[in-house]
């Protein structure tokens, strides 16, 4: 997802450097909070995954805003599918039932 986001951020940067920077910050947060969550236990783990989930949604929102503002054209469906997969995986980690 980070590699995909980097490519999209490069395209966005040509029209809006602030939005590209926001996308990059959100992507950093996804990766770093996921890694931190993997090294934590119980509630802290869930908090980190929840932060990563919010940031992953933010990455996708940045792309959608860039498209709406006509900064970029269509994004490869495989890129969006990978982002959706990451979001779904984080969602399962955050909202899984505890027995």
């Amino acid at each position: 997802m980070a590699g995909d986001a980097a490519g999209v951020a490069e395209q966005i940067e040509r029209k809006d450097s602030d939005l590209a920077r926001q996308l990059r910050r959100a992507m950093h947060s996804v990766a770093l909070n996921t890694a931190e969550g993997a090294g934590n236990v119980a509630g802290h783990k869930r908090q980190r995954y929840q932060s990563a989930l919010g940031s992953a949604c933010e990455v996708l929102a940045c792309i959608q805003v860039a498209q709406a503002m006509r900064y970029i054209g269509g994004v490869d469906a495989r890129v969006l599918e990978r982002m959706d997969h990451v979001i779904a995986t984080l969602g399962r980690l955050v909202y899984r039932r505890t027995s």
Side-chain angles (χ1 to χ4, degrees):
M1 181 175 169
D4 291 334
V8 176
E10 288 172 359
Q11 294 174 22
I12 294 170
E13 192 164 35
R14 295 180 192 125
K15 300 278 187 166
D16 188 331
S17 61
D18 289 335
L19 184 59
R21 192 170 24 260
Q22 183 71 24
L23 189 156
R24 288 184 181 109
R25 279 194 306 269
M27 188 61 244
H28 295 165
S29 178
V30 173
L32 298 175
N33 277 297
T34 301
E36 190 174 349
N40 278 296
V41 294
H44 295 291
K45 178 183 285 280
R46 184 175 177 180
Q47 287 173 342
R48 295 295 75 75
Y49 288 153
Q50 199 163 20
S51 293
L53 175 59
S55 293
C57 290
E58 184 178 359
V59 168
L60 192 55
C62 286
I63 292 169
Q64 292 167 337
V65 167
Q67 288 176 312
M69 298 297 294
R70 298 188 186 112
Y71 297 156
I72 61 173
V75 176
D76 188 317
R78 293 171 296 184
V79 168
L80 297 176
E81 287 172 13
R82 283 190 290 270
M83 290 183 180
D84 285 341
H85 179 76
V86 169
I87 289 168
T89 300
L90 288 166
R92 284 190 298 278
L93 290 169
V94 170
Y95 298 112
R96 78 169 127 193
R97 292 182 174 194
T98 55
S99 340

